[in-house]
Amino acid sequence: MGLFSFLTQEIAIDLGTANTIIIHNDKIVVDEPSIVAIDLKTEKMVAIGEKARQMQGKTHANLKTIRPLRDGVIADFNAAEQMIRGMIKMINSKPRMFSPALKMVVCIPSGSTEVEVRAVRDSAEHAGGREVYMLYEPLAAAIGIGLDVEAPEGNMVVDIGGGTTEIAVISLGGIVTNRSIRIAGDDLTSDIMEYMRHQHNIKIGERTAEEIKIHVGSALSQLKDPPPDFIVQGPNQMTALPIEVPVSYQEIAHCLEKSISKIETAVLAALEQTPPELYADIVTKGIWLAGGGALLKGFDKRLTDKIGIPFRVAEDPLRAVVRGTGIALKNVDKFSFLIR
Ligand SMILES: Nc1ncnc2c1ncn2[C@@H]1O[C@H](COP(=O)(O)OP(=O)(O)OP(=O)(O)O)[C@@H](O)[C@H]1O
Ligand SMILES: [Mg+2]
């Protein structure tokens, strides 16, 4: 850090459908849900991140919570820009510090269209980015896991986020095979909401459904370390009276089955398209799981058993992408695969 380092501030951003994480000076300085709350009268942002999340489902007529990203891409440009701006401000109590010049690396889904890439670049620039680089998420995940993405070797990463599951085979600094499907953590959460309504006559919101997923979500109906039943409270759909329902991991495994098998099918399809030499590398080295969805109980085991290649969950899978983006930030001159 030189005397004039304040002239260029450098940040790496994982702008996710569910969570936005920012690295600055090698440290994670922001890790917040990708949500903003907007006052509809003044059109001003009143809360951001975790604070906005706590307002979800509890707003009144003049207040709205918005998730600016859907399916991995920006769905509400204005809200996205305000969110990025607000999160950058969170980094330092002296926001002035960031006005001079901001070098940013932001990652994007590998299936992004040109328009979607443009939208990310524009919001980053509007939020103060002077020098903006973009990086495909599976590459970022692979770098974050510690794989040598530039080697002439096949590496496979499956990133199960909130909005998208990205499956990629990487070799020589590029993505060789890639599948991106819009089935991920958010869909599992919706599956649970639907199931609870149907099966247990209980109405629950997104946050409760997510809690159920985290506690008793499972990709297998038989787990070695089964979690205890999770008690859900809510109104009975018919009577509106409060009820309590214990939910077992087995029934949640059953309710998630359809979505999970779609993810499994996509993984198989990506493998099918993989050139043989790279396929051989992958069989030897195994496949890495990243993103919050990788934490679903039994997911790694299920894929390993089904496909016959070892699947491993990355260390701190929710942060693998941002870790890789942070490494890319320090290597913008060296990494030829960054999009300028
Ligand atoms: N322990 C857990 N078990 C199952 N799912 C989990 C767990 N923890 C987090 N998740 C889910 O992971 C998802 C968020 O993961 P992540 O932060 O990687 O997504 P994202 O990067 O914001 O989304 P995307 O990459 O699709 O834009 C959410 O759907 C969340 O419910
Ligand atoms: Mg992600």
Side-chain angles (χ1 to χ4, degrees), residues 8 24 32 48 61 72 86-87 123 191 196 204 217 230 233 248 250 279 284 287 297-299 305 316 324:
T8 359
H24 172 58
E32 299 273 340
I48 185 170
M87 291 202 183
S123 349
D191 290 344
M196 293 304 290
I204 58 165
F230 185 73
Q233 289 159 332
S248 73
Q250 274 149 327
Y279 191 99
T284 318
I287 298 171
K297 295 180 205 347
F299 219 154
D305 293 351
D316 200 358

Side-chain angles (χ1 to χ4, degrees), residues 63-81:
L63 195 66
K64 191 166 116 187
T65 58
I66 302 176
R67 291 182 57 183
L69 284 97
R70 279 284 156 200
D71 297 329
V73 298
I74 294 177
D76 183 329
F77 188 78
N78 180 43
E81 193 186 309

Side-chain angles (χ1 to χ4, degrees), residues 261-280:
S261 66
K262 282 185 192 153
I263 296 175
E264 201 171 74
T265 304
V267 174
L268 282 165
L271 275 169
E272 245 168 52
Q273 288 179 351
T274 302
E277 304 287 346
L278 298 179
Y279 191 99

Side-chain angles (χ1 to χ4, degrees), residues 170-191:
I170 293 157
S171 172
L172 293 166
I175 294 172
V176 183
T177 316
N178 151 56
R179 288 247 149 183
S180 175
I181 59 163
R182 299 190 164 187
I183 307 246
D186 286 348
D187 301 273
L188 304 184
T189 302
S190 318
D191 290 344

Side-chain angles (χ1 to χ4, degrees), residues 14 16 137 159 161 321:
D14 173 7
E137 277 164 12
D159 175 6
V321 167

